[in-house]
Amino acid sequence: MTARAWAELLRVSALFTVPGDALAGAAASGRRPDRGTVLAVGASLCLYEAGMALNDWADRDEDAIDRPHRPIPSGRIAPGAALAAAGALTAAGLGLAARAGRPALAVATGLAATVWAYDLRLKHTPAGPAAMAAARGLDLLLGAAATGAAAGGATGRATGPGPALVPVTGPASGERGAYRKGPASWKGPASRKGAASGRGSAAGPGAARGSEPATGGFVRGALPAAALLGAHTYAVTAVSRHEAHGGSTAAPLAALGAVAALSAAAVHEQRGRRGDRGTDAHLGPGGRGEPHRPNPGPTHDAPEPLAGTAPGLVRTALTGSYLRTAAVPLLHAALNPSPPLTQRAVGGGIRAMIPLQAALAARAGAVGTGLAVMALVPIARALSRKVSPT
């Protein structure tokens, strides 16, 4: 068992397509990355690699015929070692998610269950592509849940897009259990001693529990981005089913249409976004809770015009990078569905996740996050020349 064998088993060149999930999720939720986002990235990396190891363990008999060079059928890694690695990595991923809070752990648990179900049962069924798409979508939502939970637990205050259930607390009694519809912006209940500022208390169990309802607003705000990333994953997974034998023109053509539709969606600004938001995005001057009064101009929910705006130009450039990375090899595979070109289309679809994640972050207004995600592209491209991502 060598380092190169493990690199092949874990497909380390595809590993750099993972951090952007959590970063795009944090951006889509309307928050800047924080400690919770870092924990979500770590959990995502562990669960992704667990899926890679489990995938080869489950496919060891099939790979012995179609891919005898893979680490397990070639004898370079023992099947038991691959299975043990999958279990250990899953436990590590759930442990990191637990440190980000109960909402993040709940999403990570669903993600881990989806990964194991896909590898052990669903991969070769019609539900396979949908399961893989769900896993990627959950990975993005993990970033939204972890970021929101960390911020809410630290400050006793959370903000999120759209309507949400907002705790209603009395000014002095700190009563709990009443909720009303309103913006996903709330203040934790006042401590028993009372705080003159009225900003709530981050200490004590009341504030910790109070952050959880607001976290749901973060996750809901990230659902459209998760759906877009899941749709891309579905298309690439459908093509990957033909990479060993080729012969399918329909799958690359369908994926090409999906990529075009996703590009059209990603190039427009996410509704309700106006750039990176800090903790007090819905608060007035000084963070004292006065209603935020937007400046006159385009309505808050109106898409920002693309022409003449730096964020719009960045979104367009990132979306163009995604379209080029995914569409060109898919077109080649559709014209000539040979195994090598089909495998290249799958590899291109995997690498295209990075510019798609970057475009989704920029679509939510987090242009800086999107550009940071794009910095992973040259690393992934360089490693893919040494270790295949498929």
Side-chain angles (χ1 to χ4, degrees):
M1 292 189 292
T2 64
R4 180 171 181 82
W6 280 103
E8 292 179 19
L9 179 79
L10 300 176
R11 295 171 176 84
V12 294
S13 60
L15 190 62
F16 292 92
T17 68
V18 177
D21 288 347
L23 292 170
S29 71
R31 300 301 291 266
R32 292 193 177 103
D34 60 8
R35 174 180 173 273
T37 316
V38 175
L39 290 170
V41 169
S44 297
L45 291 171
C46 289
L47 294 175
Y48 185 85
E49 293 291 48
M52 292 293 121
L54 185 63
N55 175 78
D56 275 27
W57 179 84
D59 286 352
R60 60 193 185 280
D61 294 333
E62 178 184 333
D63 286 346
I65 299 173
D66 294 333
R67 304 178 185 87
H69 61 280
R70 293 293 300 162
I72 293 179
S74 65
R76 290 178 291 156
I77 292 180
L83 183 59
L89 287 166
T90 300
L94 293 177
L96 288 171
R99 295 188 62 186
R102 282 182 292 181
L105 177 60
V107 176
T109 301
L111 173 57
T114 304
V115 168
W116 281 73
Y118 173 83
D119 284 332
L120 298 181
R121 181 72 178 174
L122 300 177
K123 183 190 307 181
H124 300 296
T125 71
M132 183 64 77
R136 272 290 178 170
L138 286 170
D139 202 31
L140 187 146
L141 294 178
L142 176 58
T147 305
T155 66
R157 171 191 298 129
T159 59
L165 293 178
V166 181
V168 179
T169 60
S173 63
E175 65 218 29
R176 306 182 186 93
Y179 295 87
R180 62 176 173 81
K181 282 189 175 182
S185 174
W186 68 278
K187 293 178 181 292
S191 65
R192 294 196 174 185
K193 294 182 179 180
S197 64
R199 298 185 186 180
S201 171
R209 283 195 297 269
S211 66
E212 292 176 13
T215 302
F218 294 124
V219 175
R220 286 193 296 274
L223 284 174
L228 293 176
L229 184 62
H232 172 82
T233 306
Y234 186 102
V236 174
T237 305
V239 176
S240 72
R241 295 187 155 204
H242 306 278
E243 63 179 338
H245 306 287
S248 174
T249 298
L253 281 177
L256 193 59
V259 167
L262 291 171
S263 299
V267 78
H268 292 293
E269 184 186 32
Q270 182 176 336
R271 293 178 67 84
R273 292 281 174 259
R274 288 213 178 272
D276 282 339
R277 294 180 179 179
T279 303
D280 296 332
H282 285 275
L283 302 180
R288 300 185 181 278
E290 295 88 346
H292 175 66
R293 306 291 183 186
N295 292 328
T299 60
H300 186 66
D301 289 333
E304 180 181 302
L306 289 180
T309 65
L313 294 175
V314 172
R315 286 198 306 274
T316 302
L318 294 175
T319 304
S321 177
Y322 161 68
L323 181 63
R324 182 178 64 255
T325 304
V328 172
L330 283 171
L331 179 59
H332 292 165
L335 295 174
N336 179 11
S338 62
L341 289 181
T342 303
Q343 292 168 12
R344 189 174 300 175
V346 174
I350 294 173
R351 290 191 302 274
M353 288 183 179
I354 300 178
L356 177 58
Q357 294 156 350
L360 291 176
R363 176 176 178 266
V367 174
T369 298
L371 294 176
V373 171
M374 279 299 290
L376 299 173
V377 169
I379 304 174
R381 183 183 295 118
L383 282 176
S384 66
R385 298 191 184 103
K386 299 181 179 180
V387 180
S388 173
T390 66

